[in-house]
């Protein structure tokens, strides 16, 4: 069932950590702004980059990987190359083998008052699975420790 509540842009203060993301010439579409599929890539890049830097996941040698099972995005204002983007990250829900990450994308232009509100926001859910069997596993202790900082 579809929600009757219209999504709203959020302030930077709604997010726990931030990661800068550079835009690329190829991110823009023929309408002069970043194409919608790029936003999902930024969600992945922001969250996984943070988790890798924090030592919560090892994408090359770890026994556990996160698979996306759900994703969604709402758009409020355009973003475009060559302007930088700032991704805010938070965790909304932690299950036994899954995590719902929420990401807010902001204009990285600090002289722009609209950069205080999300240009887009969305979420994705990772189910953590054994790398070989692809069966769900309990969240590793190191990952749980890092997730606490994002709640």
């Amino acid at each position: 069932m579809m929600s009757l509540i219209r999504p709203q842009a959020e302030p930077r203060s709604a997010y726990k950590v931030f990661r800068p993301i550079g835009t690329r010439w190829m991110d823009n579409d023929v309408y002069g702004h970043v194409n919608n599929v790029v936003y999902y890539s930024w969600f992945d890049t922001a969250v996984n980059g943070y988790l890798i830097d924090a030592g919560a996941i090892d994408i090359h040698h770890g026994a556990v990987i996160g698979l996306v099972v759900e994703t969604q995005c709402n758009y409020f204002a355009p973003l475009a190359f060559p302007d930088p983007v700032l991704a805010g990250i938070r965790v909304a829900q932690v299950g036994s083998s899954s995590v719902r990450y929420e990401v807010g994308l902001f204009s990285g232009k600090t002289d722009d008052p609209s950069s205080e509100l999300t240009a887009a926001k969305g979420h994705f859910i990772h189910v953590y699975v054994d790398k070989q069997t692809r069966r769900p596993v309990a969240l590793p202790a190191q990952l749980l420790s890092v997730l606490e900082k994002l709640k």
Side-chain angles (χ1 to χ4, degrees):
M1 184 173 159
M2 213 167 160
S3 173
L4 299 177
I5 300 171
R6 183 175 178 192
Q8 300 293 315
E10 294 180 314
R12 288 184 190 220
S13 61
Y15 296 87
K16 299 295 185 179
V17 299
F18 295 88
R19 301 215 24 119
I21 297 175
T23 56
R24 305 166 305 170
W25 173 258
M26 65 184 264
D27 294 336
N28 284 6
D29 62 20
V30 297
Y31 301 115
H33 62 264
V34 170
N35 188 271
N36 61 304
V37 299
V38 176
Y39 289 72
Y40 288 99
S41 175
W42 288 343
F43 289 175
D44 241 355
T45 297
V47 170
N48 285 303
Y50 178 79
L51 296 176
I52 291 165
D53 288 351
I57 60 171
D58 179 345
I59 61 171
H60 298 293
H61 305 292
V64 174
I65 59 173
L67 300 179
V68 174
V69 298
E70 178 180 303
T71 188
Q72 177 268 326
C73 184
N74 295 108
Y75 306 92
F76 306 106
L79 296 169
F81 173 85
D83 298 334
V85 172
L86 191 62
I89 307 167
R90 65 183 178 217
V91 165
Q93 189 174 4
V94 176
S96 59
S97 63
S98 65
V99 179
R100 178 184 163 120
Y101 297 98
E102 295 182 344
V103 181
L105 299 174
F106 299 84
S107 168
K109 294 178 3 183
T110 55
D111 61 342
D112 180 359
S114 69
S115 69
E116 290 302 312
L117 292 176
T118 49
K121 70 176 183 177
H123 75 269
F124 69 90
I125 297 174
H126 262 164
V127 171
Y128 287 87
V129 300
D130 178 275
K131 190 177 197 175
Q132 300 303 317
T133 68
R134 298 295 207 253
R135 300 297 307 151
V137 296
L139 299 176
Q142 180 62 25
L143 176 60
L144 285 169
S145 175
V146 171
L147 294 177
E148 281 301 314
K149 299 171 189 158
L150 297 174
K151 288 184 180 178

